[in-house]
Amino acid sequence: MKLLWTILVVLILLLQVRLWVGEGSFVQVWAMENTVEQQRQENAKLATRNERLYAEVRNLRSGQGAIEERARMNLGLVRDDETFFLVVEP
């Protein structure tokens, strides 16, 4: 009878080891859940950035005002009827 109990205890311990260590264990599942959550957060940030870029593209496609503003800010656009002043601070 003692042999039967010993075998059962050993089997239960082996099943517990499989549950806590190895492939499909609790530790691995928890690590994967953390990885998935981090990926979801990164995806949310990237989705926000994509929406902002998409709105900018729509704005550039729809009107000349946005294109002119971009040219003024990035390329230093000055119209013929405007005077350019460069202010230098000491």
Side-chain angles (χ1 to χ4, degrees), residues 15-83:
L15 290 174
Q16 286 291 317
V17 168
R18 172 92 172 140
L19 184 65
W20 292 101
V21 180
E23 190 169 333
S25 66
F26 284 136
V27 175
Q28 187 180 25
V29 169
W30 290 330
M32 289 297 280
E33 286 176 354
N34 288 338
T35 304
V36 167
E37 184 58 34
Q38 289 172 354
Q39 189 65 48
R40 282 188 181 140
Q41 290 173 358
E42 185 177 344
N43 287 349
K45 290 178 190 176
L46 292 175
T48 304
R49 187 194 72 168
N50 287 346
E51 280 299 318
R52 191 176 64 244
L53 289 173
Y54 183 65
E56 187 175 338
V57 167
R58 280 195 319 260
N59 192 14
L60 288 173
R61 284 184 181 169
S62 66
Q64 291 294 329
I67 295 172
E68 184 177 332
E69 178 184 348
R70 237 3 158 96
R72 286 179 180 276
M73 296 297 289
N74 296 339
L75 303 174
L77 173 72
V78 179
R79 289 190 191 159
D80 291 335
D81 61 341
E82 295 178 338
T83 304

Side-chain angles (χ1 to χ4, degrees), residues 2-18:
K2 279 187 167 184
L3 180 63
L4 181 62
W5 280 107
T6 307
I7 291 173
L8 288 175
V9 168
V10 168
L11 284 175
I12 290 173
L13 288 175
L14 287 175
L15 290 174
Q16 286 291 317
V17 168
R18 172 92 172 140

